[in-house]
Amino acid sequence: MRVHQLEVGSMQNFTYVVEDEETKESVVIDPSWDLDLVIEIIERNSLKIKYVINTHHHFDHTIGNDAIAKHTKSKILQHESSTLKNDLRVSNGDKIKFGNSELAVLHTPGHSKDSICLIGDGKIFSGDTLFVGNCGRVDLPGGSAKELYHSLLDIIYKLDDNLTLYPGHNYGNSAISTLGKEKKTNFVMQQRTEAEFLDFMSRD
Ligand SMILES: [Fe+2]
């Protein structure tokens, strides 16, 4: 599984093109803003896009959905609780297959109700649930600090330290990280009670 990480737009978003190297069948995660970059990667590597996948419904991760899906004749895939237009809905534990690769869906609400992480081949695409050095905000509609606490500390914390982290924005001091490094250094991943987590998330 080969990952093309593209920084797009003015909000430091990451779009990912994830390639099954053996078959060239691929997926695009969170297409938005600079679609030329996505199309260039697809054409240069002769990729066949099977799905457009969104880590959550926010506009800065989805505004390129229709254009890329139409251009590549692919299907738009989102969590079942998304309110946006899509072709396929997935739920926790589902496997998204393309070529000989697959990504497992992990439902991680908190930043939004429909937030998912995608895990496969030693990688985790975390959307706006977990950034390098931080986590997503919880003050937008559908956000919940309580849900994010459980997603980060009860679900993501239990995953393998060796997973390479591919976040939804370039907000940290590096574009990628590992889960082990985030567990050690990211202040939101430190062991806290739910009450302690809610307290610090409510501060500015
Ligand atoms: Fe978001």
Side-chain angles (χ1 to χ4, degrees):
M1 197 185 279
R2 180 180 175 198
V3 179
H4 305 266
Q5 183 185 48
L6 305 168
E7 187 170 343
V8 295
S10 57
M11 296 164 72
Q12 296 155 281
N13 280 79
F14 281 129
T15 293
Y16 295 97
V17 181
V18 184
E19 172 185 343
D20 177 68
E21 289 167 283
E22 288 168 25
T23 64
K24 297 288 179 183
E25 197 164 53
S26 306
V27 298
V28 180
I29 300 174
D30 290 354
S32 63
W33 314 111
D34 305 318
L35 303 182
D36 292 358
L37 298 176
V38 176
I39 290 167
E40 188 189 321
I41 292 289
I42 292 169
E43 288 179 355
R44 196 195 313 151
N45 295 282
S46 307
L47 304 181
K48 167 86 183 84
I49 304 300
K50 187 175 185 188
Y51 300 121
V52 166
I53 309 172
N54 297 121
T55 58
H56 62 300
H57 72 283
H58 288 160
F59 78 98
D60 56 318
H61 298 258
T62 56
I63 52 173
N65 276 6
D66 286 344
I68 293 295
K70 197 171 171 202
H71 183 84
T72 61
K73 298 186 176 58
S74 57
K75 296 205 179 315
I76 298 169
L77 192 154
Q78 295 168 345
H79 186 255
E80 58 189 348
S81 63
S82 168
T83 51
L84 297 186
K85 190 184 86 177
N86 53 47
D87 302 303
L88 285 166
R89 292 168 171 266
V90 291
S91 41
N92 189 52
D94 283 352
K95 304 270 198 310
I96 302 168
K97 295 182 196 297
F98 52 103
N100 299 321
S101 296
E102 69 177 29
L103 288 168
V105 175
L106 197 62
H107 186 214
T108 53
H111 174 67
S112 65
K113 291 284 178 218
D114 67 327
S115 287
I116 55 173
C117 294
L118 300 160
I119 300 170
D121 192 32
K123 309 170 202 329
I124 176 168
F125 298 90
S126 58
D128 288 2
T129 299
L130 180 63
F131 300 129
V132 176
N134 210 331
C135 62
R137 57 195 287 187
V138 293
D139 58 337
L140 296 170
S144 161
K146 195 170 173 166
E147 288 182 347
L148 188 62
Y149 172 78
H150 289 287
S151 291
L152 291 175
L153 278 308
D154 293 336
I155 299 173
I156 294 176
Y157 201 92
K158 296 197 168 78
L159 301 173
D160 189 343
D161 282 359
N162 294 317
L163 287 175
T164 302
L165 179 77
Y166 291 92
H169 289 264
N170 191 8
Y171 287 161
N173 54 17
S174 58
I176 63 172
S177 183
T178 64
L179 218 42
K181 188 174 174 203
E182 293 309 301
K183 288 180 198 176
K184 281 204 195 83
T185 61
N186 187 330
F187 71 108
V188 306
M189 294 298 277
Q190 301 315 303
Q191 288 300 327
R192 292 184 172 88
T193 64
E194 184 186 288
E196 287 166 348
F197 187 86
L198 295 184
D199 181 51
F200 96 75
M201 286 298 283
S202 67
R203 294 183 213 145
D204 286 337

